[in-house]
Amino acid sequence: MKKTLVSALTTALVVGAASTTFAASNPFSDVPADHWAYDAVSQLAADGVIEGYGDSTFQGNKNITRYEMAQMVAKAMAKTDVSAADKAMIDKLAAEFADELNNLGVRVANLEKHADNVKFTGKLEYTYTSTRFENEDGSTDKDNNDGYVFRLEPTAEVNDHWDVHARLDGEGNMEKDTTDNVALKRAWAQGNYKNFAVKLGKQELYTNEHGLVFDETFSGANVTFGKDFKTTLLAGRINGDLLTSDHARYASIGASIDKDGNVVSGDNANFQGINLQYDSAASKLYGGLGYYHLSSDDFMTKAYADSGKEDTANIWSANLGYKFDAKNTLWGSYANNTKADSQDHAWQVQYDYGTYQDAANKGSWGWYGAYRYLGENASLCGTYDGVQQGTKGWEIGAQYAIFKNVGILAKYFDGEQLDNGKDASKLFGRVEFFF
Protein backbone atom coordinates (compact mmCIF):
# COMPACT_ATOMS: atom_id res chain seq x y z
CA MET A 1 0.00 0.00 0.00
CA LYS A 2 1.28 3.47 -0.91
CA LYS A 3 0.52 6.87 0.51
CA THR A 4 1.41 10.35 -0.61
CA LEU A 5 3.70 12.09 1.81
CA VAL A 6 1.24 14.93 2.23
CA SER A 7 -1.56 12.53 3.23
CA ALA A 8 0.76 10.74 5.62
CA LEU A 9 1.47 14.06 7.30
CA THR A 10 -2.22 14.66 7.96
CA THR A 11 -1.68 12.92 11.32
CA ALA A 12 1.08 15.36 12.07
CA LEU A 13 -1.18 18.31 11.32
CA VAL A 14 -3.95 16.98 13.54
CA VAL A 15 -1.69 16.05 16.46
CA GLY A 16 1.18 18.47 16.45
CA ALA A 17 1.11 21.22 13.90
CA ALA A 18 -1.83 23.01 15.42
CA SER A 19 0.25 23.67 18.53
CA THR A 20 3.29 24.94 16.58
CA THR A 21 3.19 28.69 16.83
CA PHE A 22 6.33 29.46 14.85
CA ALA A 23 7.54 26.97 12.27
CA ALA A 24 11.12 26.87 11.16
CA SER A 25 12.18 28.55 7.92
CA ASN A 26 11.11 26.54 4.90
CA PRO A 27 13.97 24.62 3.26
CA PHE A 28 11.82 23.40 0.35
CA SER A 29 11.21 25.61 -2.66
CA ASP A 30 8.06 23.77 -3.71
CA VAL A 31 6.19 24.24 -0.42
CA PRO A 32 5.08 27.90 -0.32
CA ALA A 33 4.21 29.62 2.94
CA ASP A 34 0.50 29.54 2.12
CA HIS A 35 0.51 25.75 1.52
CA TRP A 36 -1.79 23.90 3.95
CA ALA A 37 1.08 21.58 5.02
CA TYR A 38 3.67 24.36 5.38
CA ASP A 39 3.89 24.35 9.20
CA ALA A 40 4.15 20.57 9.52
CA VAL A 41 6.65 20.13 6.70
CA SER A 42 8.87 22.95 7.94
CA GLN A 43 8.81 21.81 11.55
CA LEU A 44 9.56 18.17 10.73
CA ALA A 45 12.34 19.21 8.40
CA ALA A 46 13.86 21.40 11.12
CA ASP A 47 13.72 18.43 13.52
CA GLY A 48 15.54 16.25 11.00
CA VAL A 49 12.60 13.97 10.35
CA ILE A 50 12.42 14.64 6.60
CA GLU A 51 15.22 15.70 4.34
CA GLY A 52 13.61 16.18 0.95
CA TYR A 53 15.56 15.61 -2.25
CA GLY A 54 18.89 16.76 -3.58
CA ASP A 55 17.41 19.61 -5.65
CA SER A 56 15.96 21.27 -2.50
CA THR A 57 12.44 20.24 -3.39
CA PHE A 58 9.99 18.43 -1.20
CA GLN A 59 7.96 16.74 -3.96
CA GLY A 60 5.01 16.45 -1.66
CA ASN A 61 2.74 15.02 -4.34
CA LYS A 62 5.06 12.12 -5.07
CA ASN A 63 3.89 8.66 -3.97
CA ILE A 64 6.26 7.20 -1.39
CA THR A 65 6.31 3.72 0.05
CA ARG A 66 5.48 2.92 3.63
CA TYR A 67 9.14 1.97 4.10
CA GLU A 68 10.23 5.45 3.06
CA MET A 69 7.82 6.94 5.55
CA ALA A 70 9.03 4.50 8.21
CA GLN A 71 12.60 5.66 7.63
CA MET A 72 11.54 9.21 8.39
CA VAL A 73 9.73 8.08 11.54
CA ALA A 74 12.82 6.13 12.61
CA LYS A 75 14.91 9.29 12.42
CA ALA A 76 12.38 11.06 14.60
CA MET A 77 12.45 8.23 17.15
CA ALA A 78 16.20 8.65 17.52
CA LYS A 79 15.82 12.24 18.69
CA THR A 80 15.57 12.90 22.41
CA ASP A 81 15.09 16.68 22.51
CA VAL A 82 11.74 16.94 20.73
CA SER A 83 8.81 18.95 22.02
CA ALA A 84 5.80 17.33 23.63
CA ALA A 85 3.72 18.02 20.54
CA ASP A 86 6.31 16.46 18.24
CA LYS A 87 6.66 13.50 20.61
CA ALA A 88 2.92 12.82 20.43
CA MET A 89 3.04 13.06 16.64
CA ILE A 90 5.99 10.66 16.43
CA ASP A 91 4.27 8.13 18.67
CA LYS A 92 1.16 8.17 16.49
CA LEU A 93 3.20 7.66 13.33
CA ALA A 94 5.26 4.89 14.95
CA ALA A 95 2.11 2.97 15.81
CA GLU A 96 0.92 3.28 12.21
CA PHE A 97 4.24 2.06 10.75
CA ALA A 98 5.14 -0.48 13.45
CA ASP A 99 5.65 -3.43 11.07
CA GLU A 100 7.90 -1.49 8.75
CA LEU A 101 9.92 -0.12 11.66
CA ASN A 102 10.47 -3.61 13.03
CA ASN A 103 11.68 -4.77 9.62
CA LEU A 104 14.09 -1.84 9.60
CA GLY A 105 15.50 -3.02 12.92
CA VAL A 106 13.85 -0.30 15.02
CA ARG A 107 12.40 -1.72 18.23
CA VAL A 108 8.94 -0.24 18.51
CA ALA A 109 8.61 -1.93 21.89
CA ASN A 110 11.22 0.48 23.21
CA LEU A 111 9.28 3.39 21.79
CA GLU A 112 6.07 2.16 23.39
CA LYS A 113 7.92 1.78 26.69
CA HIS A 114 8.90 5.44 26.66
CA ALA A 115 5.65 6.68 25.11
CA ASP A 116 3.52 4.97 27.76
CA ASN A 117 5.60 5.70 30.83
CA VAL A 118 3.12 4.19 33.29
CA LYS A 119 1.67 0.71 32.81
CA PHE A 120 -1.05 -1.00 34.83
CA THR A 121 -1.57 -4.70 35.39
CA GLY A 122 -3.62 -6.47 38.01
CA LYS A 123 -6.24 -9.06 38.82
CA LEU A 124 -9.70 -9.58 40.26
CA GLU A 125 -10.21 -12.77 42.23
CA TYR A 126 -13.19 -14.35 43.97
CA THR A 127 -12.27 -16.89 46.64
CA TYR A 128 -14.32 -19.32 48.73
CA THR A 129 -12.78 -21.20 51.67
CA SER A 130 -14.19 -23.64 54.19
CA THR A 131 -11.89 -24.48 57.12
CA ARG A 132 -12.48 -27.13 59.81
CA PHE A 133 -10.61 -27.61 63.11
CA GLU A 134 -11.52 -30.34 65.59
CA ASN A 135 -11.46 -29.33 69.27
CA GLU A 136 -10.33 -31.37 72.27
CA ASP A 137 -13.96 -32.21 73.18
CA GLY A 138 -14.67 -33.56 69.70
CA SER A 139 -16.59 -30.53 68.49
CA THR A 140 -15.54 -28.77 65.29
CA ASP A 141 -14.85 -25.11 64.62
CA LYS A 142 -16.07 -24.17 61.15
CA ASP A 143 -15.10 -21.04 59.26
CA ASN A 144 -16.55 -20.32 55.81
CA ASN A 145 -15.42 -17.25 53.91
CA ASP A 146 -16.58 -15.83 50.59
CA GLY A 147 -14.49 -12.86 49.55
CA TYR A 148 -12.87 -10.98 46.72
CA VAL A 149 -9.73 -8.96 46.05
CA PHE A 150 -9.18 -6.31 43.40
CA ARG A 151 -5.48 -5.72 42.83
CA LEU A 152 -3.88 -2.96 40.78
CA GLU A 153 -0.13 -2.94 40.08
CA PRO A 154 1.22 0.18 38.35
CA THR A 155 4.78 0.37 37.02
CA ALA A 156 6.43 3.64 35.98
CA GLU A 157 9.72 4.02 34.13
CA VAL A 158 12.28 6.39 35.63
CA ASN A 159 15.12 5.85 33.15
CA ASP A 160 16.74 3.02 31.20
CA HIS A 161 17.66 1.14 34.39
CA TRP A 162 15.25 2.26 37.10
CA ASP A 163 11.50 2.05 37.52
CA VAL A 164 9.04 2.29 40.39
CA HIS A 165 6.34 -0.20 41.33
CA ALA A 166 3.31 -0.29 43.59
CA ARG A 167 0.48 -2.61 44.54
CA LEU A 168 -2.95 -1.51 45.70
CA ASP A 169 -5.51 -3.98 47.08
CA GLY A 170 -9.18 -3.58 47.75
CA GLU A 171 -10.88 -6.44 49.59
CA GLY A 172 -14.43 -7.36 50.46
CA ASN A 173 -16.71 -10.08 51.79
CA MET A 174 -19.39 -11.31 49.39
CA GLU A 175 -21.65 -12.83 52.05
CA LYS A 176 -21.65 -9.74 54.27
CA ASP A 177 -21.51 -7.32 51.31
CA THR A 178 -18.63 -5.42 52.88
CA THR A 179 -15.81 -3.56 51.16
CA ASP A 180 -12.54 -2.34 52.65
CA ASN A 181 -10.86 0.81 51.43
CA VAL A 182 -8.19 0.37 48.81
CA ALA A 183 -4.83 0.13 50.59
CA LEU A 184 -1.31 0.65 49.33
CA LYS A 185 0.33 -2.71 50.03
CA ARG A 186 3.67 -2.22 48.30
CA ALA A 187 5.75 0.65 46.90
CA TRP A 188 9.35 0.21 45.80
CA ALA A 189 12.00 1.40 43.35
CA GLN A 190 13.88 -1.15 41.29
CA GLY A 191 17.16 -0.89 39.41
CA ASN A 192 17.99 -3.52 36.80
CA TYR A 193 21.50 -4.01 35.46
CA LYS A 194 23.31 -6.93 33.84
CA ASN A 195 23.29 -9.78 36.36
CA PHE A 196 22.46 -7.29 39.12
CA ALA A 197 19.22 -5.89 40.54
CA VAL A 198 18.31 -3.81 43.57
CA LYS A 199 14.93 -3.08 45.18
CA LEU A 200 14.30 -0.34 47.76
CA GLY A 201 11.05 0.20 49.65
CA LYS A 202 8.06 -1.86 50.80
CA GLN A 203 8.26 -4.96 48.62
CA GLU A 204 7.50 -8.63 48.20
CA LEU A 205 9.24 -11.12 50.48
CA TYR A 206 9.02 -14.52 48.77
CA THR A 207 11.78 -16.82 49.96
CA ASN A 208 13.52 -19.29 47.68
CA GLU A 209 12.18 -22.48 49.27
CA HIS A 210 8.89 -21.92 47.38
CA GLY A 211 7.72 -19.50 50.05
CA LEU A 212 7.91 -22.03 52.88
CA VAL A 213 9.22 -19.43 55.35
CA PHE A 214 7.91 -16.15 53.91
CA ASP A 215 5.41 -15.00 51.31
CA GLU A 216 4.63 -11.52 52.58
CA THR A 217 6.07 -8.00 52.47
CA PHE A 218 8.88 -6.16 54.19
CA SER A 219 10.26 -2.62 54.11
CA GLY A 220 13.93 -2.37 53.25
CA ALA A 221 16.49 -3.35 50.62
CA ASN A 222 16.84 -6.37 48.37
CA VAL A 223 20.02 -6.86 46.31
CA THR A 224 20.40 -9.75 43.84
CA PHE A 225 23.45 -10.53 41.72
CA GLY A 226 24.51 -13.44 39.53
CA LYS A 227 23.03 -15.26 36.55
CA ASP A 228 22.55 -19.02 36.94
CA PHE A 229 23.82 -18.90 40.51
CA LYS A 230 22.15 -15.99 42.29
CA THR A 231 22.80 -14.43 45.66
CA THR A 232 20.09 -12.29 47.28
CA LEU A 233 20.73 -10.10 50.32
CA LEU A 234 17.76 -8.81 52.34
CA ALA A 235 17.52 -6.31 55.18
CA GLY A 236 14.69 -4.26 56.68
CA ARG A 237 11.63 -4.41 58.90
CA ILE A 238 8.61 -6.74 58.99
CA ASN A 239 5.28 -5.58 60.37
CA GLY A 240 4.60 -7.41 63.63
CA ASP A 241 0.95 -8.00 62.73
CA LEU A 242 2.09 -10.16 59.81
CA LEU A 243 4.02 -12.38 62.20
CA THR A 244 1.09 -12.82 64.56
CA SER A 245 -1.97 -12.82 62.30
CA ASP A 246 -1.50 -16.40 61.13
CA HIS A 247 -0.82 -17.62 64.68
CA ALA A 248 -3.92 -16.41 66.50
CA ARG A 249 -5.20 -19.98 66.89
CA TYR A 250 -2.06 -21.22 68.62
CA ALA A 251 -0.64 -18.02 70.13
CA SER A 252 2.89 -19.41 69.81
CA ILE A 253 4.11 -16.07 68.54
CA GLY A 254 2.72 -12.76 69.67
CA ALA A 255 1.72 -11.91 73.21
CA SER A 256 -0.85 -9.33 72.07
CA ILE A 257 -3.79 -11.69 71.57
CA ASP A 258 -7.09 -11.05 73.33
CA LYS A 259 -9.28 -13.55 75.19
CA ASP A 260 -11.12 -14.42 71.97
CA GLY A 261 -7.91 -15.32 70.18
CA ASN A 262 -7.81 -12.21 68.00
CA VAL A 263 -4.55 -10.42 67.31
CA VAL A 264 -4.49 -6.98 68.92
CA SER A 265 -1.06 -5.88 67.72
CA GLY A 266 2.38 -7.17 66.93
CA ASP A 267 5.86 -5.85 67.60
CA ASN A 268 7.66 -4.96 64.38
CA ALA A 269 10.70 -7.14 63.71
CA ASN A 270 14.14 -6.27 62.45
CA PHE A 271 14.93 -8.62 59.59
CA GLN A 272 18.03 -9.78 57.67
CA GLY A 273 18.35 -12.64 55.24
CA ILE A 274 20.36 -14.26 52.47
CA ASN A 275 19.31 -16.61 49.66
CA LEU A 276 21.72 -18.66 47.55
CA GLN A 277 20.01 -20.25 44.56
CA TYR A 278 21.10 -22.21 41.49
CA ASP A 279 18.63 -22.40 38.58
CA SER A 280 19.91 -22.69 35.00
CA ALA A 281 18.04 -23.25 31.75
CA ALA A 282 20.79 -25.73 30.85
CA SER A 283 20.11 -27.91 33.90
CA LYS A 284 17.07 -29.87 35.04
CA LEU A 285 18.22 -29.68 38.64
CA TYR A 286 17.85 -26.59 40.82
CA GLY A 287 18.28 -25.83 44.49
CA GLY A 288 19.45 -23.42 47.13
CA LEU A 289 19.96 -22.39 50.74
CA GLY A 290 18.53 -19.60 52.87
CA TYR A 291 19.08 -17.94 56.23
CA TYR A 292 16.82 -15.43 58.03
CA HIS A 293 17.34 -13.59 61.31
CA LEU A 294 14.53 -11.70 63.08
CA SER A 295 14.38 -9.88 66.40
CA SER A 296 11.10 -8.93 68.04
CA ASP A 297 9.56 -8.91 71.53
CA ASP A 298 6.71 -10.98 70.09
CA PHE A 299 8.91 -14.08 70.32
CA MET A 300 9.15 -13.74 74.11
CA THR A 301 6.50 -16.30 75.10
CA LYS A 302 6.85 -19.70 76.76
CA ALA A 303 5.05 -21.23 73.80
CA TYR A 304 7.99 -20.12 71.65
CA ALA A 305 10.92 -20.70 74.03
CA ASP A 306 10.74 -22.49 77.36
CA SER A 307 12.47 -19.61 79.12
CA GLY A 308 10.08 -17.02 77.68
CA LYS A 309 13.08 -14.73 77.24
CA GLU A 310 14.05 -15.42 73.62
CA ASP A 311 13.45 -12.43 71.35
CA THR A 312 15.08 -13.70 68.13
CA ALA A 313 14.44 -16.21 65.36
CA ASN A 314 17.23 -17.86 63.35
CA ILE A 315 15.79 -19.85 60.46
CA TRP A 316 17.83 -22.00 58.07
CA SER A 317 16.28 -23.39 54.92
CA ALA A 318 17.07 -25.55 51.90
CA ASN A 319 15.27 -26.45 48.68
CA LEU A 320 15.86 -28.91 45.85
CA GLY A 321 13.92 -29.62 42.67
CA TYR A 322 14.13 -31.58 39.42
CA LYS A 323 12.42 -30.60 36.15
CA PHE A 324 11.78 -33.81 34.22
CA ASP A 325 10.42 -31.81 31.28
CA ALA A 326 8.31 -28.72 30.60
CA LYS A 327 5.31 -30.26 32.37
CA ASN A 328 6.71 -32.36 35.20
CA THR A 329 8.57 -31.11 38.29
CA LEU A 330 9.29 -32.71 41.65
CA TRP A 331 10.59 -30.51 44.47
CA GLY A 332 10.94 -30.25 48.21
CA SER A 333 12.04 -27.78 50.86
CA TYR A 334 12.91 -27.67 54.57
CA ALA A 335 13.24 -24.95 57.24
CA ASN A 336 14.38 -24.99 60.87
CA ASN A 337 14.23 -22.27 63.54
CA THR A 338 17.14 -22.90 65.91
CA LYS A 339 15.77 -20.47 68.53
CA ALA A 340 12.31 -22.00 68.93
CA ASP A 341 11.50 -24.80 71.38
CA SER A 342 8.27 -25.92 69.73
CA GLN A 343 7.05 -26.34 66.15
CA ASP A 344 10.57 -25.37 65.16
CA HIS A 345 10.71 -27.04 61.72
CA ALA A 346 8.69 -27.17 58.52
CA TRP A 347 9.00 -29.20 55.32
CA GLN A 348 7.13 -30.13 52.19
CA VAL A 349 7.34 -32.31 49.07
CA GLN A 350 5.33 -31.52 45.94
CA TYR A 351 4.85 -32.89 42.44
CA ASP A 352 3.63 -30.46 39.74
CA TYR A 353 2.18 -31.36 36.35
CA GLY A 354 0.79 -29.14 33.61
CA THR A 355 1.15 -25.91 31.65
CA TYR A 356 -1.06 -23.47 33.57
CA GLN A 357 0.75 -20.12 33.95
CA ASP A 358 -1.59 -17.51 35.41
CA ALA A 359 -4.25 -18.44 32.82
CA ALA A 360 -2.28 -16.78 30.00
CA ASN A 361 -3.31 -19.47 27.50
CA LYS A 362 -6.88 -20.67 27.14
CA GLY A 363 -7.19 -24.37 27.82
CA SER A 364 -3.93 -24.67 29.77
CA TRP A 365 -4.21 -26.67 32.96
CA GLY A 366 -2.25 -28.29 35.73
CA TRP A 367 -2.49 -30.17 39.00
CA TYR A 368 -0.31 -30.95 41.97
CA GLY A 369 -0.07 -33.23 44.97
CA ALA A 370 1.84 -32.35 48.12
CA TYR A 371 2.54 -33.35 51.69
CA ARG A 372 3.28 -30.45 54.05
CA TYR A 373 4.37 -30.17 57.66
CA LEU A 374 4.18 -26.52 58.70
CA GLY A 375 5.57 -25.90 62.14
CA GLU A 376 4.42 -22.35 62.74
CA ASN A 377 7.69 -21.14 64.27
CA ALA A 378 9.61 -22.11 61.12
CA SER A 379 6.99 -21.29 58.49
CA LEU A 380 6.30 -17.81 59.85
CA CYS A 381 4.33 -16.35 56.92
CA GLY A 382 4.12 -19.14 54.35
CA THR A 383 2.42 -19.00 50.99
CA TYR A 384 -0.14 -21.75 51.32
CA ASP A 385 -3.89 -21.53 50.75
CA GLY A 386 -4.66 -25.12 51.71
CA VAL A 387 -2.48 -26.32 54.60
CA GLN A 388 -2.64 -24.04 57.63
CA GLN A 389 0.38 -23.12 59.72
CA GLY A 390 0.59 -25.43 62.71
CA THR A 391 -0.81 -28.40 60.76
CA LYS A 392 0.43 -31.30 58.65
CA GLY A 393 -1.18 -33.41 55.97
CA TRP A 394 -1.91 -33.99 52.30
CA GLU A 395 -2.92 -31.32 49.84
CA ILE A 396 -4.06 -31.63 46.23
CA GLY A 397 -4.97 -28.90 43.76
CA ALA A 398 -5.80 -28.17 40.14
CA GLN A 399 -5.92 -25.13 37.85
CA TYR A 400 -7.61 -24.57 34.48
CA ALA A 401 -7.74 -21.57 32.12
CA ILE A 402 -11.34 -21.46 30.91
CA PHE A 403 -10.59 -18.38 28.79
CA LYS A 404 -7.46 -16.38 28.08
CA ASN A 405 -6.49 -14.63 31.35
CA VAL A 406 -9.40 -16.26 33.21
CA GLY A 407 -8.62 -19.20 35.46
CA ILE A 408 -10.25 -21.40 38.08
CA LEU A 409 -8.40 -23.07 40.98
CA ALA A 410 -9.42 -25.70 43.50
CA LYS A 411 -7.47 -27.09 46.48
CA TYR A 412 -8.21 -29.50 49.28
CA PHE A 413 -6.21 -30.22 52.46
CA ASP A 414 -6.77 -33.04 54.90
CA GLY A 415 -4.55 -33.53 57.95
CA GLU A 416 -4.17 -32.79 61.63
CA GLN A 417 -3.09 -30.08 64.06
CA LEU A 418 0.45 -30.31 65.35
CA ASP A 419 -0.30 -29.19 68.90
CA ASN A 420 -3.07 -31.70 69.73
CA GLY A 421 -3.27 -34.26 66.90
CA LYS A 422 -6.90 -33.34 66.15
CA ASP A 423 -8.29 -33.19 62.62
CA ALA A 424 -7.88 -30.21 60.33
CA SER A 425 -9.13 -29.69 56.77
CA LYS A 426 -9.71 -26.94 54.25
CA LEU A 427 -11.51 -26.53 50.93
CA PHE A 428 -10.33 -23.71 48.69
CA GLY A 429 -11.81 -22.43 45.40
CA ARG A 430 -11.02 -19.37 43.31
CA VAL A 431 -11.90 -17.68 40.03
CA GLU A 432 -9.29 -15.15 38.86
CA PHE A 433 -9.25 -12.55 36.09
CA PHE A 434 -5.90 -11.09 34.96
CA PHE A 435 -5.46 -7.83 33.07
Side-chain angles (χ1 to χ4, degrees), residues 329-350:
T329 303
L330 177 65
W331 58 267
S333 57
Y334 176 85
N336 179 258
N337 185 348
T338 62
K339 292 295 185 178
D341 291 332
S342 64
Q343 297 198 32
D344 59 354
H345 64 281
W347 61 273
Q348 60 185 336
V349 177
Q350 181 166 320

Side-chain angles (χ1 to χ4, degrees), residues 340-409:
D341 291 332
S342 64
Q343 297 198 32
D344 59 354
H345 64 281
W347 61 273
Q348 60 185 336
V349 177
Q350 181 166 320
Y351 171 74
D352 294 316
Y353 176 85
T355 58
Y356 183 91
Q357 294 292 332
D358 294 334
N361 299 311
K362 177 183 177 181
S364 62
W365 61 280
W367 65 269
Y368 71 89
Y371 186 87
R372 310 193 202 280
Y373 182 109
L374 301 188
E376 60 180 347
N377 294 328
S379 180
L380 292 182
C381 303
T383 190
Y384 306 105
D385 297 314
V387 175
Q388 305 294 289
Q389 281 148 312
T391 66
K392 65 178 180 179
W394 293 94
E395 180 180 315
I396 58 173
Q399 313 91 25
Y400 179 71
I402 55 178
F403 305 108
K404 180 179 180 180
N405 296 328
V406 181
I408 55 175
L409 297 83

Side-chain angles (χ1 to χ4, degrees), residues 27-348:
F28 303 121
S29 60
D30 58 349
V31 183
D34 59 352
H35 192 280
W36 67 273
Y38 176 83
D39 285 345
V41 170
S42 301
Q43 188 62 47
L44 290 174
D47 288 342
V49 179
I50 51 179
E51 298 176 351
Y53 295 85
D55 59 356
S56 297
T57 61
F58 178 63
Q59 299 184 23
N61 292 323
K62 176 184 177 181
N63 284 336
I64 65 169
T65 67
R66 289 180 63 87
Y67 281 100
E68 289 175 317
M69 187 63 202
Q71 287 176 323
M72 298 180 186
V73 176
K75 292 178 182 179
M77 291 169 61
K79 296 182 68 65
T80 59
D81 56 346
V82 297
S83 66
D86 281 350
K87 183 66 167 60
M89 174 182 63
I90 293 167
D91 293 345
K92 293 285 187 181
L93 292 174
E96 168 65 24
F97 295 96
D99 292 339
E100 289 78 14
L101 287 167
N102 281 324
N103 289 334
L104 289 171
V106 179
R107 296 185 60 83
V108 177
N110 286 342
L111 170 76
E112 292 171 346
K113 179 181 178 182
H114 291 281
D116 186 8
N117 201 41
V118 180
K119 297 182 182 298
F120 291 87
T121 59
K123 66 187 296 188
L124 173 64
E125 60 184 35
Y126 297 94
T127 304
Y128 172 80
T129 60
S130 180
T131 307
R132 302 287 186 269
F133 284 104
E134 183 184 6
N135 297 314
E136 293 284 355
D137 60 4
S139 62
T140 300
D141 288 339
K142 302 177 181 180
D143 181 20
N144 296 338
N145 186 68
D146 186 8
Y148 66 88
V149 174
F150 176 78
R151 178 169 298 161
L152 192 62
E153 298 181 284
T155 300
E157 178 192 2
V158 177
N159 54 44
D160 289 341
H161 293 288
W162 284 85
D163 41 47
V164 294
H165 303 255
R167 194 181 98 180
L168 300 96
D169 286 359
E171 303 180 8
N173 185 285
M174 299 286 287
E175 181 181 0
K176 299 177 182 178
D177 192 28
T178 59
T179 302
D180 292 338
N181 293 328
V182 175
L184 180 64
K185 296 293 187 178
R186 299 174 186 171
W188 78 94
Q190 181 168 334
N192 298 302
Y193 299 86
K194 184 177 181 180
N195 298 332
F196 176 79
V198 59
K199 298 179 182 179
L200 303 170
K202 189 173 180 64
Q203 60 192 273
E204 178 185 41
L205 176 59
Y206 183 83
T207 47
N208 64 348
E209 66 289 319
H210 293 270
L212 177 64
V213 180
F214 287 109
D215 182 15
E216 260 299 344
T217 60
F218 82 107
S219 296
N222 173 331
V223 178
T224 300
F225 51 91
K227 186 179 179 182
D228 295 336
F229 183 84
K230 291 185 177 180
T231 300
T232 301
L233 304 176
L234 308 151
R237 297 272 285 173
I238 295 179
N239 188 301
D241 291 343
L242 299 179
L243 297 177
T244 58
S245 60
D246 289 327
H247 303 264
R249 179 176 177 78
Y250 302 98
S252 291
I253 294 180
S256 302
I257 298 176
D258 65 19
K259 60 182 179 60
D260 297 319
N262 299 313
V263 176
V264 177
S265 64
D267 181 60
N268 296 337
N270 291 314
F271 167 73
Q272 300 87 38
I274 181 172
N275 281 170
L276 306 174
Q277 189 74 13
Y278 173 78
D279 191 357
S280 172
S283 174
K284 293 183 177 181
L285 188 69
Y286 69 89
L289 301 171
Y291 171 74
Y292 317 101
H293 174 80
L294 298 91
S295 58
S296 169
D297 287 344
D298 276 342
F299 295 116
M300 298 179 67
T301 69
K302 288 187 176 296
Y304 178 77
D306 292 339
S307 66
K309 297 180 180 180
E310 182 59 66
D311 63 352
T312 62
N314 287 339
I315 302 174
W316 297 86
S317 72
N319 72 93
L320 186 66
Y322 188 82
K323 307 171 188 176
F324 295 94
D325 52 39
K327 293 183 179 180
N328 294 271
T329 303
L330 177 65
W331 58 267
S333 57
Y334 176 85
N336 179 258
N337 185 348
T338 62
K339 292 295 185 178
D341 291 332
S342 64
Q343 297 198 32
D344 59 354
H345 64 281
W347 61 273
Q348 60 185 336

Side-chain angles (χ1 to χ4, degrees), residues 411-430:
K411 304 179 182 183
Y412 179 72
F413 161 69
D414 184 60
E416 64 182 54
Q417 303 165 56
L418 295 179
D419 62 342
N420 59 20
K422 298 297 183 179
D423 290 343
S425 64
K426 185 176 182 179
L427 178 65
F428 173 97
R430 174 177 290 168

